């Protein structure tokens, strides 16, 4: 799949969160994504499951191009990707579409947090509302997205100034609590 430089730049802007560079967070996130894409929970992702998942995320891909790329990562005598194969595909796509490590950002923890925050702040107003959080959770196929009341409780749990939304400072505090390794 040949990608023009203009398309790479557009994809990089649209999907910078795809490549957050915290290795342990990436591994955890990639396992979660794999589990979400593996709809029948058989330990393999088929090209059909991948295509459907990308479509739900608003990332339309030509099925024949996707199938060709996908099949180059499948082990002989298998019908889908195991997690290790999926991780290799992810790494290749990251390098192909986004230039690999360090192509758009400095890789600092602060930059990674800004990238993550921007995924949820869909309207770019500097805040994450319950509706924005619900939209992202729905795109990811997470059951927590089902009831707005449940999503509002998530917001309230990190909303320090009680304005009904999460600003970057509150998001950063929440992420530090979640990501601080235990000794």
């Amino acid at each position: 799949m040949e990608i023009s430089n203009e398309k790479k730049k557009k994809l990089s802007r649209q999907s910078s969160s795809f490549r957050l560079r915290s290795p342990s967070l990436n591994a955890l996130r990639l396992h979660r994504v794999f589990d979400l894409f593996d709809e029948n929970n058989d330990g393999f992702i088929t090209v059909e499951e991948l295509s459907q998942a990308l479509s739900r995320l608003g990332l339309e891909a030509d099925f024949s191009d996707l199938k060709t790329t996908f099949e180059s990562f499948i082990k002989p005598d298998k019908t889908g990707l195991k997690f290790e194969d999926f991780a290799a595909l992810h790494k290749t796509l990251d390098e192909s579409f986004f230039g690999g490590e360090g192509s758009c950002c400095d890789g600092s923890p602060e930059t990674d947090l800004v990238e993550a925050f921007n995924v949820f702040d869909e309207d770019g107003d500097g805040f994450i509302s319950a509706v924005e959080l619900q939209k992202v959770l729905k795109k990811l196929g997470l059951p927590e997205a089902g009831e707005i009341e449940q999503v509002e409780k998530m917001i309230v749990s990190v909303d320090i100034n009680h304005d009904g939304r999460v600003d970057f400072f509150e998001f950063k505090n929440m992420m530090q609590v979640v990501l601080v390794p235990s000794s």
Side-chain angles (χ1 to χ4, degrees):
M1 291 189 317
E2 187 65 32
I3 310 281
S4 70
N5 282 340
E6 183 177 310
K7 191 165 186 175
K8 282 182 184 179
K9 286 179 186 175
K10 183 178 179 187
L11 285 168
S12 181
R13 281 193 308 272
Q14 290 176 341
S15 303
S16 61
S17 65
F18 182 78
R19 43 196 294 302
L20 296 179
R21 285 177 281 293
S22 169
S24 61
L25 184 58
N26 263 345
L28 181 63
R29 182 180 300 116
L30 201 54
H31 269 287
R32 183 91 188 250
V33 169
F34 180 86
D35 291 342
L36 288 171
F37 287 8
D38 180 16
E39 291 188 11
N40 63 357
N41 299 313
D42 65 354
F44 291 93
I45 296 176
T46 64
V47 69
E48 291 81 9
E49 287 172 325
L50 180 60
S51 179
Q52 290 170 3
L54 293 174
S55 181
R56 282 193 308 269
L57 292 170
L59 302 170
E60 298 301 326
D62 179 73
F63 188 80
S64 62
D65 286 345
L66 183 63
K67 185 175 181 181
T68 301
T69 302
F70 184 89
E71 288 177 346
S72 68
F73 286 87
I74 296 176
K75 298 279 191 268
D77 301 322
K78 301 293 179 192
T79 58
L81 298 175
K82 292 185 70 160
F83 176 75
E84 296 76 23
D85 307 324
F86 179 70
L89 172 62
H90 174 267
K91 182 177 185 206
T92 299
L93 291 176
D94 183 37
E95 291 167 357
S96 297
F97 285 93
F98 309 112
E101 288 296 317
S103 64
C104 82
C105 309
D106 63 14
S108 71
E110 186 81 12
T111 300
D112 285 351
L113 284 172
V114 170
E115 289 179 34
F117 181 83
N118 289 337
V119 169
F120 292 94
D121 181 19
E122 290 192 328
D123 64 8
D125 68 352
F127 300 97
I128 301 170
S129 69
V131 171
E132 288 173 315
L133 178 57
Q134 186 178 40
K135 284 180 186 176
V136 174
L137 295 174
K138 278 183 182 177
K139 285 180 185 177
L140 294 172
L142 298 174
E144 294 92 336
E147 299 288 328
I148 191 68
E149 293 80 15
Q150 185 66 25
V151 177
E152 288 169 346
K153 286 179 184 176
M154 294 171 150
I155 294 288
V156 167
S157 72
V158 296
D159 181 18
I160 296 168
N161 65 4
H162 307 291
D163 65 353
R165 53 195 184 170
V166 177
D167 60 32
F168 180 73
F169 175 76
E170 293 164 332
F171 181 80
K172 182 177 173 181
N173 283 341
M174 185 253 329
M175 293 302 285
Q176 287 173 335
V177 169
V178 170
L179 297 177
V180 171
S182 57
S183 358

